[in-house]
């Protein structure tokens, strides 16, 4: 039990030995789950490329991790923009080599109701949570196939991608996460059809204590904030542990 955060923490002893020195991409790596995932991969000796709009935050994390076995590289990327994702993958190919792991962590919300919300906000959510994820996945799989790498794609999904909780002001957010659930299964079948050994995994946590709304550049919602303050929450480190758990030797 962590008395500082008032959370229980369970440490799993797992190894990422086969991935040491390999390239992993983490989207939304500037804070929260993405930063924790990037950190644990660097600690396990991977070359990690952190993608996010707030590049400076990733550089600060990279400085803190400079004595770890791996290395964190920062690359400014808005995951809702196809051209940004393409540029990131080109930089990785030119400077680091083939991609072995992609962790689609980037996600945003724009709290409001479906009755009073803005369609422009809904589009932002779908472009980031669904289209950006799909574009990054496509580029990673093509790179893995080209280099004959049996890599791994991990989607950081949500419990709300499997059921609709009684949570206010969600609008299209659960729909975007239901899409991630469907996309995971569709990709699994696509990979099976071509005989690929690339692994696709979805992780679906519940509420997490992160800077989610700040990172989403989202206005506050009183109803949502009240609900979120009352419910038990995971830590970002718990999600990072889950990533290590589903990426074994």
């Amino acid at each position: 039990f962590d008395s500082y955060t008032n959370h229980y923490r369970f440490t799993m002893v797992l190894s990422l030995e086969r991935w040491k020195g390999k390239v992993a991409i983490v989207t939304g790596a500037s804070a929260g789950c993405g930063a924790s995932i990037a950190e644990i991969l660097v600690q396990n000796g991977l070359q990690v490329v952190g993608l996010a709009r707030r590049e400076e935050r990733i550089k600060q994390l990279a400085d803190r991790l400079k004595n770890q076995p791996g290395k964190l590289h920062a690359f400014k990327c808005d995951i809702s923009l196809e051209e940004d994702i393409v540029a990131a993958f080109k930089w990785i190919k030119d400077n680091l080599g083939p991609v072995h792991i992609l962790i689609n962590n980037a996600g945003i919300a724009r709290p409001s109701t479906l009755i009073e919300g803005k369609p422009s906000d809904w589009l932002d959510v779908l472009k980031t949570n669904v289209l950006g994820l799909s574009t990054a996945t496509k580029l990673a799989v093509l790179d893995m196939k080209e280099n004959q790498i049996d890599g791994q794609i991990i989607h950081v999904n949500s419990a709300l991608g499997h059921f609709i909780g009684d949570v206010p002001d969600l609008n299209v957010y659960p729909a975007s996460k239901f899409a991630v659930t469907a996309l995971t299964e569709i990709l699994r079948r696509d990979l099976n059809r071509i005989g690929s050994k690339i692994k696709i995994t979805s992780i679906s946590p519940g509420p997490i204590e992160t800077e989610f709304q700040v990172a989403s550049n989202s206005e506050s919602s009183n109803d949502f904030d009240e609900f979120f303050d009352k419910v038990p929450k995971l830590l970002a480190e718990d999600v990072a542990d889950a990533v290590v758990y589903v990426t074994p030797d």
Side-chain angles (χ1 to χ4, degrees), residues 17 26-27 90 123 247:
E17 188 68 29
V26 181
T27 69
K90 183 180 186 306
L123 182 59
T247 317

CSV table of all heavy atoms in Angstrom, one decimal, residues 17 26-27 90 123 247:
chain,number,residue,atom,x,y,z
A,17,GLU,N,13.4,-9.3,-21.8
A,17,GLU,CA,14.8,-9.5,-22.3
A,17,GLU,C,14.9,-9.6,-23.8
A,17,GLU,O,15.8,-9.0,-24.4
A,17,GLU,CB,15.3,-10.8,-21.7
A,17,GLU,CG,16.8,-11.1,-22.0
A,17,GLU,CD,17.7,-10.1,-21.2
A,17,GLU,OE1,17.3,-9.6,-20.2
A,17,GLU,OE2,18.8,-9.9,-21.8
A,26,VAL,N,5.5,4.7,-28.4
A,26,VAL,CA,4.4,5.0,-27.4
A,26,VAL,C,3.8,6.3,-27.8
A,26,VAL,O,4.4,7.3,-27.7
A,26,VAL,CB,4.9,5.0,-26.0
A,26,VAL,CG1,3.8,5.3,-25.0
A,26,VAL,CG2,5.7,3.8,-25.6
A,27,THR,N,2.5,6.2,-28.1
A,27,THR,CA,1.8,7.5,-28.5
A,27,THR,C,1.2,8.1,-27.2
A,27,THR,O,0.9,7.4,-26.2
A,27,THR,CB,0.7,7.2,-29.5
A,27,THR,OG1,-0.4,6.5,-28.9
A,27,THR,CG2,1.2,6.5,-30.7
A,90,LYS,N,8.7,7.8,-40.5
A,90,LYS,CA,9.9,8.0,-41.3
A,90,LYS,C,11.1,8.4,-40.5
A,90,LYS,O,12.2,7.8,-40.8
A,90,LYS,CB,9.6,9.2,-42.3
A,90,LYS,CG,10.7,9.4,-43.4
A,90,LYS,CD,10.4,10.5,-44.3
A,90,LYS,CE,11.5,10.6,-45.4
A,90,LYS,NZ,12.9,10.7,-44.9
A,123,LEU,N,-15.5,15.1,-33.4
A,123,LEU,CA,-14.6,14.7,-34.5
A,123,LEU,C,-13.2,14.6,-34.0
A,123,LEU,O,-12.4,13.7,-34.4
A,123,LEU,CB,-14.7,15.8,-35.6
A,123,LEU,CG,-13.8,15.5,-36.9
A,123,LEU,CD1,-14.2,14.2,-37.5
A,123,LEU,CD2,-14.0,16.6,-37.9
A,247,THR,N,3.5,-8.4,-22.7
A,247,THR,CA,4.6,-8.4,-23.7
A,247,THR,C,5.8,-9.2,-23.1
A,247,THR,O,6.9,-8.7,-22.9
A,247,THR,CB,5.1,-6.9,-23.9
A,247,THR,OG1,4.0,-6.1,-24.1
A,247,THR,CG2,6.0,-6.8,-25.2
